[in-house]
Amino acid sequence: MFELTKEQIKKFEKIVFVTGAGISQESGVPTFRGNNGLWRNYDSMKLATIDAFYGNPKLVWEWYNERRQNIFQAKPNEGHLAIAELENYADVAILTQNIDGLHQKSGSKKVLELHGSIIKIKCTVCDFKNEILEEISEIPPKCNCGNILRPDVVWFGEALDQEVWQNAVILAGECDLMIIVGTSLVVSPANTLPIYAKQNSAYLIEINPENTEMSPRMDLTIKNTSAISLPQLVSIYKKL
Ligand code: BJW
Ligand code: ZN
């Protein structure tokens, strides 16, 4: 499946993974687009906006509460675990669009969360930030300053955390192998990361059962799921 020679693989010193919702699909976490992208008949893409939140904060909070409960029960799958294991053989960084924390749960150390985290909250007005330590009883929850709290995630039209993004761009620009897993690559600026890698002549591998708009620009496309494909990649490293 990985049509790479051992010699080619040995040359890859810095590996960067760009991951999206598809890597957690086999852990039971729904993706955003396609058949799984509906929640109570609402389009996930329309809920992930600041307008949706201010229009109906209770509804958007209910969406996040349900997802958090599901994510807390979810276990990293063979795909997450394979990436964590690869850290024993190479310099690995993960640039994830996911907010589910499953890479960290699987033991991966260098994980940059581009779109925030499901366990974090922040005030819509003041600088208050915290982690959700217990079940939220009052929806929407309130800050001590009197204003409503929101999930500390990045919605459409909002800027990514600049420090996280700058570091992601540096890592993408320095890697010699980028593996893009389980993302439709339709959301910017995350979908520009392969371009930074290509500028450094990195080798690009995409793992996705479906084609994406960027599939033609990949050096190798593996049209299979991440829980099947990633352990196969690690097994090549084990035999080197
Ligand atoms: C498997 C699999 C298996 C399945 N194994 N694979 C026009 C109008 C307005 C805005 C824009 C516009 N054009 C561009 C924009 C910018 C906008 C954007 O990109 N929009 C596009 C949709 C058009 N981007 C933004 O707004 C970003 N901010 C920004 O640009 O800021 C500029 C700015 C600068 C300065 C000041 C102010 C602003 C922010 C984007 C934030 C995205 N947020 C979300 C929600 C995060 C929180 C949450 O999770 O709730 O991020 S939306 C959602 O999409 C989420 C995801 O991280 C993200 C990407 O989705 P992903 O991961 O790719 O999932 P899917 O479902 O799309 O794909 C899954 C894939 O897996 C599929 O390909 C499957 O085939 C595959 N798969 N099973 C392997 N087992
Ligand atoms: Zn506040």
Side-chain angles (χ1 to χ4, degrees):
M1 184 185 276
F2 285 89
E3 302 142 10
L4 286 163
T5 63
K6 282 189 180 180
E7 282 62 40
Q8 271 178 302
I9 286 197
K10 271 185 197 164
K11 279 194 201 140
F12 298 139
E13 286 175 358
K14 290 187 178 175
I15 308 178
V16 163
F17 285 87
V18 173
T19 66
I23 195 168
S24 298
Q25 187 263 331
E26 285 153 291
S27 292
V29 181
T31 58
F32 286 89
R33 294 166 188 84
N35 296 337
N36 286 320
L38 286 181
W39 174 76
R40 292 193 200 161
N41 274 339
Y42 293 97
D43 179 350
S44 300
M45 302 318 298
K46 294 201 176 120
L47 289 173
T49 66
I50 190 74
D51 288 346
F53 181 69
Y54 282 119
N56 194 343
K58 188 170 174 288
L59 178 79
V60 175
W61 262 109
E62 279 170 5
W63 183 45
Y64 279 92
N65 282 351
E66 261 187 51
R67 289 170 66 198
R68 195 179 320 98
Q69 278 168 13
N70 178 36
I71 285 167
F72 277 176
Q73 286 167 12
K75 292 192 181 68
N77 64 54
E78 295 302 318
H80 298 104
L81 294 167
I83 298 180
E85 197 180 352
L86 198 61
E87 289 183 9
N88 298 323
Y89 305 96
D91 179 354
V92 174
I94 303 163
L95 315 179
T96 189
Q97 297 169 79
N98 300 344
I99 61 168
D100 59 29
L102 288 177
H103 285 298
Q104 295 91 324
K105 219 173 177 181
S106 72
S108 283
K109 305 227 165 43
K110 209 191 282 182
V111 185
L112 271 62
E113 294 177 312
L114 303 174
H115 293 163
S117 165
I118 191 104
I119 59 167
K120 293 184 179 160
I121 48 173
K122 65 180 180 184
C123 181
T124 47
V125 175
C126 77
D127 289 336
F128 177 79
K129 284 189 180 215
N130 207 349
E131 295 199 344
I132 294 175
L133 306 168
E134 54 200 37
E135 191 86 352
I136 295 162
S137 44
E138 181 205 2
I139 300 180
K142 292 253 175 66
C143 179
N144 284 340
C145 79
N147 292 291
I148 56 174
L149 294 166
R150 56 166 280 180
D152 193 357
V153 297
V154 184
W155 286 320
F156 284 116
E158 297 185 312
L160 278 60
D161 178 288
Q162 282 310 291
E163 198 183 328
V164 173
W165 177 245
Q166 291 303 330
N167 286 332
V169 167
I170 292 169
L171 287 162
E174 286 176 347
C175 72
D176 39 32
L177 172 61
M178 178 173 274
I179 307 181
I180 299 133
V181 189
T183 171
S184 56
L185 288 175
V186 296
V187 174
S188 62
N191 64 356
T192 62
L193 291 168
I195 298 165
Y196 289 102
K198 208 63 209 167
Q199 282 165 357
N200 185 40
S201 306
Y203 192 87
L204 301 188
I205 301 178
E206 179 174 67
I207 299 177
N208 196 318
E210 306 291 335
N211 276 325
T212 69
E213 271 180 40
M214 291 204 196
S215 299
R217 296 162 79 176
M218 300 291 154
D219 295 296
L220 181 62
T221 51
I222 315 269
K223 290 195 74 177
N224 209 333
T225 76
S226 42
I228 292 173
S229 311
L230 287 167
Q232 292 174 352
L233 172 70
V234 178
S235 71
I236 301 176
Y237 271 89
K238 281 182 182 165
K239 288 183 207 141
L240 286 179

